Amino acid sequence: METENNKNVDDYYRRQSRVSSTFDIRSLDLKICIEEFNKSAKKGVILCNEKGIFDSSNPDEIAQFLYDTKGLSRKQIGEYLGQNQKTLVSYSQLFDFAGLEIDDALRVFLSGFQLLGEAQIIDRIMDCFAQQFASCNPEGNLNETTAAVMAFAIIMLNTDLHSGKLKQQMTPAAFIKNFRGVDSGKDFPKAFLLGIYERVKANKLKFNEQEMKLTAFCSPQKQGWLIKEGGRIKTKRKRWFILKDGCLYYFESPEHNEPKGIVALERNTQVRSIGRSSFEIFNQDHSSLKSNKRVKHGKVVQGQHANFMLHGENEKDTQLWIEKINGAILALTLASRHDKQSVSEYNPENENILEE
């Protein structure tokens, strides 16, 4: 049975989903910046500035990037926000907490980054959260000061109830007792505090990367092994390929998190069968494919490939790769014509215009 607080949080996400992202997820530069950010937030921000993704001197633009961009490491976002107060303030102001209970609002707030650092850093983050929560709920029973106290207490309660390290958990009575006189010398209504306790007990707030693993490669159009031919040196290497959001990524294996290279499909990109189990990716105008690859010491360089020659595991799998890549290219074309057409939502199996 769906709980009331889950409905409130779901309503929040439905409101937010109406706002389209400022950043083009199909931009190859953006994908490279995401990779760099996920290794080092500071270096990622510098690279984003160099690539023209945003102005790194503008905390509002950085905050919008952190808020909008899928695939960013929650750990790196948390570290950056903890060290950059102006960006933290701007980031907090992007949330609309109107009508949410404070624990639900905190759950939404912490879904975007991993809470890290010393107590002083957590205090600063909770202060910014509290300011925005109180601003969004001016008629509520929490002001900035009491909201900050409450937010920190909720984090402590969550740890107490769900860490598994304490033999004796905090009781509802003990939680309520902690707030005696906090509301300008008065007590909060017991029903209000008990509601927070019960919701946190029933639904753990997730703080770390392992609990809320966000990845840029979930739900791909297709993934699997392909043999890739080299460019100038005609070597053949078996790589794990993922087709996602108009890009073809290849990895050393499924266990590796960082791609060895990326090929960005474009509207003039084509794919054709070569024999029974091979296919070629190229641009119709004979220009170089938009690609990047990782070389020694993790350095990323721009590829100079006029084509990519790939070999599938068998004829059936090869034809499926061709069909899916053609579908991704077609989706890019439709997306450029119709803003409402989403690349990620497009399913080529619903169309009957793919070439055999």
Side-chain angles (χ1 to χ4, degrees):
M1 182 177 178
E2 188 178 35
T3 62
E4 187 63 34
N5 65 306
N6 284 341
K7 289 181 181 178
N8 290 338
V9 174
D10 288 344
D11 287 343
Y12 171 86
Y13 283 118
R14 278 193 286 271
R15 293 201 303 271
Q16 296 302 101
S17 67
R18 300 190 187 111
V19 183
S20 60
S21 173
T22 308
F23 306 99
D24 182 1
I25 192 61
R26 289 181 282 111
S27 164
L28 188 60
D29 283 343
L30 176 58
K31 292 179 183 293
I32 295 170
C33 289
I34 290 172
E35 281 189 52
E36 188 66 25
F37 183 94
N38 288 348
K39 291 185 289 184
S40 166
K42 184 177 179 180
K43 292 181 179 179
V45 168
I46 293 172
L47 184 61
C48 283
N49 184 71
E50 293 174 352
K51 296 287 187 180
I53 303 295
F54 55 71
D55 179 359
S56 62
S57 66
N58 188 330
D60 291 342
E61 292 189 15
I62 300 174
Q64 195 72 54
F65 173 79
L66 300 180
Y67 183 87
D68 277 342
T69 308
K70 295 180 180 179
L72 293 179
S73 163
R74 291 176 67 250
K75 180 179 179 181
Q76 292 296 331
I77 295 175
E79 288 185 356
Y80 191 85
L81 293 175
Q83 297 168 5
N84 294 272
Q85 182 69 16
K86 290 183 179 179
T87 302
L88 172 61
V89 172
S90 296
Y91 180 85
S92 302
Q93 291 172 350
L94 293 172
F95 289 84
D96 178 10
F97 297 134
L100 291 180
E101 297 288 355
I102 186 168
D103 52 301
D104 290 335
L106 186 59
R107 195 182 303 278
V108 168
F109 186 62
L110 294 177
S111 69
F113 64 94
Q114 187 173 340
L115 195 61
L116 300 166
E118 302 172 353
Q120 289 180 340
I121 295 177
I122 296 175
D123 276 340
R124 289 204 304 270
I125 293 174
M126 289 302 100
D127 284 344
C128 286
F129 162 78
Q131 289 170 15
Q132 183 64 7
F133 179 82
S135 175
C136 292
N137 296 279
E139 303 301 322
N141 57 357
L142 294 172
N143 56 35
E144 292 182 14
T145 302
T146 54
V149 173
M150 183 71 73
F152 198 89
I154 290 171
I155 290 173
M156 296 299 101
L157 174 65
N158 186 78
T159 302
D160 188 286
L161 294 178
H162 298 289
S163 68
K165 297 179 181 180
L166 299 177
K167 293 182 180 180
Q168 187 173 354
Q169 295 179 339
M170 182 180 291
T171 64
F175 180 69
I176 293 172
K177 184 178 179 180
N178 289 338
F179 289 95
R180 284 183 178 173
V182 170
D183 185 16
S184 302
K186 298 180 293 184
D187 294 344
F188 288 112
K190 288 185 178 180
F192 169 69
L193 296 174
L194 186 60
I196 292 173
Y197 181 94
E198 293 297 340
R199 288 191 296 271
V200 173
K201 183 178 181 179
N203 191 6
K204 177 183 177 182
L205 277 74
K206 297 179 174 64
F207 295 153
N208 62 57
E209 202 80 5
Q210 287 70 39
E211 292 175 331
M212 293 189 64
K213 187 176 181 181
L214 302 179
T215 173
F217 307 113
C218 62
S219 303
Q221 278 78 36
K222 181 165 174 53
Q223 59 184 339
W225 291 105
L226 289 170
I227 295 175
K228 172 185 170 295
E229 288 192 10
R232 288 175 297 177
I233 303 175
K234 297 301 179 182
T235 56
K236 292 185 178 181
R237 298 185 184 279
K238 193 174 183 179
R239 299 297 188 208
W240 181 260
F241 278 77
I242 289 179
L243 177 64
K244 170 75 174 175
D245 289 328
C247 283
L248 196 60
Y249 303 84
Y250 56 94
F251 304 74
E252 284 192 20
S253 73
E255 288 73 34
H256 285 77
N257 294 322
E258 294 186 1
K260 294 282 291 183
I262 308 171
V263 182
L265 304 175
E266 300 180 279
R267 283 177 293 169
N268 71 328
T269 304
Q270 293 191 343
V271 56
R272 63 187 173 194
S273 176
I274 305 292
R276 290 187 173 182
S277 300
S278 303
F279 62 96
E280 178 187 20
I281 301 173
F282 62 98
N283 282 340
Q284 188 176 11
D285 60 3
H286 305 292
S287 61
S288 294
L289 291 165
K290 186 182 288 186
S291 64
N292 280 282
K293 62 181 179 180
R294 194 178 301 278
V295 293
K296 289 183 179 180
H297 309 299
K299 183 179 180 181
V300 177
V301 298
Q302 187 173 349
Q304 301 294 331
H305 296 276
N307 68 337
F308 266 75
M309 187 68 72
L310 301 166
H311 308 277
E313 294 185 312
N314 52 58
E315 183 177 357
K316 183 179 179 181
D317 187 59
T318 298
Q319 290 304 313
L320 186 56
W321 272 108
I322 293 173
E323 187 176 298
K324 293 294 185 180
I325 294 171
N326 267 325
I329 296 168
L330 180 58
L332 294 174
T333 303
L334 293 176
S336 68
R337 294 174 183 172
H338 307 286
D339 292 337
K340 294 181 180 179
Q341 176 67 53
S342 166
V343 174
S344 60
E345 293 176 355
Y346 178 75
N347 183 358
E349 294 176 359
N350 294 335
E351 298 289 343
N352 194 29
I353 54 177
L354 298 179
E355 296 181 358
E356 295 290 335

